[in-house]
C-alpha cells in the first residue's frame, strides 16, 4: 500500500521532478545495487543506530515516568487535581517551541534528545494508563482491603494487571512517537542521527539519501509497532486480566 501511494504521488505531481522525487527503484539502487551502495548503507544505518538509541532511551524514560505518575494520580486524587492541568498545559505547547528551553537545560547531547522523546511519549501514555488503572475490578480491590492489604497492594495485584492492555496500547502508540521525537531532537538539538542527516541532505541536494532515510525510518517504525504487538499478546496471555482463561 505504501509503495502504491508513493508511486501514485510522484505520478500525480510531476512538477516534483526526478531530481527531487525518488522512486522505490531509486532508493533500492541507492542502498543495495548502486556503485556506492555500501557507503550509502553505512551512512544511513549508522545514523539509524543513533536514532534508535535516542528513541529507545527516551521511550523507556517516558513510559516509566508515565507508569509511576499514573499510579500516583490514581491513588491520590488531590495530586492529580493539582498537577494534571499543568501537565495538559505543557502538552499543548508544540515541542518545537520547547526545544530551545530543553537544549538550554539539558544540552545538545543524548540527554537533551532523551528529554524531547520522553515528553512525546509521556503525555499520551499517562492518560491511557490512568484510564486502564481506573478500570480495575472494584470487587477484587475490596477483597484485597478485606484481607488487610493497602492501596499500594491493590494497585500492584489488581490494578496493574488489569491495566496491561492499556499499557501496551500506550506503548504501541508511543513507539512511532518516540522515533518522531528523536528525529526532531536530532534535527534541532544534537546534530546527529537520521534527523540531522535528513535536514542536512536537502541543501546538499542529496535527495537519494533523504528518501532512503525516510523509507528506512518508516519501515523500522512499522516493524517496532508489530514487535510491541507480539509482546503484548504474549504478556497478556500470561499476566493479563484474562490470563489462563480459554
Amino acid at each position: 500500500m505504501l509503495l502504491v501511494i508513493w508511486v501514485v504521488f510522484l505520478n500525480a505531481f510531476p512538477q516534483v521532478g526526478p531530481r527531487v522525487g525518488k522512486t522505490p527503484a531509486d532508493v533500492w539502487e541507492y542502498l543495495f545495487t548502486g556503485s556506492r551502495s555500501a557507503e550509502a548503507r553505512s551512512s544511513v544505518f549508522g545514523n539509524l543506530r543513533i536514532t534508535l538509541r535516542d528513541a529507545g532511551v527516551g521511550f523507556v524514560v517516558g513510559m516509566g515516568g508515565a507508569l509511576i505518575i499514573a499510579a500516583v494520580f490514581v491513588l491520590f486524587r488531590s495530586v492529580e487535581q493539582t498537577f494534571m492541568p499543568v501537565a495538559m498545559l505543557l502538552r499543548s505547547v508544540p515541542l518545537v517551541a520547547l526545544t530551545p528551553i530543553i537544549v538550554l537545560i539539558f544540552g545538545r547531547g543524548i540527554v537533551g534528545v532523551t528529554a524531547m522523546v520522553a515528553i512525546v511519549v509521556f503525555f499520551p501514555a499517562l492518560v491511557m494508563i490512568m484510564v486502564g488503572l481506573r478500570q480495575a475490578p472494584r470487587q477484587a480491590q475490596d477483597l484485597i482491603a478485606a484481607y488487610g492489604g493497602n492501596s499500594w497492594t491493590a494497585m500492584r495485584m489488581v490494578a496493574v494487571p488489569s491495566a496491561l492492555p492499556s499499557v501496551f496500547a500506550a506503548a504501541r502508540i508511543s513507539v512511532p512517537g518516540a522515533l518522531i521525537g528523536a528525529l526532531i531532537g536530532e534535527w534541532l538539538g544534537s546534530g546527529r542521527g537520521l534527523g540531522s542527516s535528513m535536514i542536512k541532505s536537502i541543501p546538499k541536494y542529496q535527495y537519494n539519501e533523504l528518501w532512503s532515510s525516510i523509507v528506512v525510518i518508516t519501515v523500522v517504525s512499522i516493524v517496532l509497532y508489530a514487535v510491541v504487538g507480539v509482546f503484548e499478546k504474549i504478556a497478556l496471555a500470561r499476566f493479563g486480566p484474562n490470563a489462563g482463561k480459554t
Side-chain angles (χ1 to χ4, degrees):
M1 180 65 72
L2 290 175
L3 291 175
V4 170
I5 294 174
W6 183 354
V7 174
V8 169
F9 172 81
L10 292 178
N11 290 327
F13 297 94
Q15 63 269 27
V16 174
R19 179 172 177 79
V20 175
K22 301 302 178 180
T23 66
D26 294 328
V27 171
W28 181 265
E29 180 182 0
Y30 178 76
L31 289 177
F32 299 106
T33 62
S35 59
R36 302 181 63 184
S37 58
E39 181 182 346
R41 287 197 305 273
S42 176
S43 175
V44 172
F45 289 105
N47 288 317
L48 175 64
R49 284 193 292 271
I50 297 174
T51 300
L52 289 177
R53 179 203 64 187
D54 296 340
V57 175
F59 175 83
V60 171
V61 173
M63 283 295 297
L67 282 166
I68 295 171
I69 299 300
V72 173
F73 280 1
V74 170
L75 290 173
F76 305 102
R77 291 297 182 92
S78 59
V79 176
E80 177 191 0
Q81 293 172 355
T82 301
F83 292 102
M84 194 63 172
V86 178
M88 292 299 100
L89 179 64
L90 290 174
R91 180 65 184 89
S92 65
V93 180
L95 184 61
V96 175
L98 290 175
T99 299
I101 299 176
I102 295 173
V103 171
L104 181 64
I105 296 174
F106 298 104
R108 293 183 175 272
I110 187 174
V111 178
V113 179
T114 298
M116 295 184 198
V117 177
I119 290 172
V120 174
V121 171
F122 175 80
F123 292 104
L126 173 65
V127 174
M128 296 185 70
I129 294 172
M130 285 178 60
V131 171
L133 291 174
R134 285 184 171 146
Q135 290 177 345
R138 189 64 196 174
Q139 296 87 344
Q141 297 185 64
D142 292 339
L143 180 63
I144 296 292
Y147 279 91
N150 56 27
S151 56
W152 287 105
T153 303
M155 175 70 66
R156 177 175 57 86
M157 299 183 66
V158 178
V160 171
S162 67
L164 280 179
S166 297
V167 172
F168 277 102
R172 278 188 280 112
I173 293 175
S174 298
V175 164
L179 291 172
I180 293 173
L183 294 175
I184 294 174
E186 292 166 351
W187 167 36
L188 298 174
S190 70
R192 302 178 63 197
L194 275 182
S196 177
S197 67
M198 289 165 63
I199 295 300
K200 291 177 181 177
S201 65
I202 297 176
K204 296 178 181 178
Y205 299 101
Q206 299 294 331
Y207 295 112
N208 279 321
E209 180 181 357
L210 175 63
W211 284 81
S212 299
S213 299
I214 294 172
V215 170
V216 167
I217 198 66
T218 302
V219 171
V220 168
S221 178
I222 294 171
V223 170
L224 291 177
Y225 184 93
V227 168
V228 173
V230 172
F231 279 107
E232 177 182 9
K233 292 182 179 179
I234 296 173
L236 293 182
R238 184 167 184 179
F239 303 108
N242 297 318
K245 296 181 181 180
T246 57

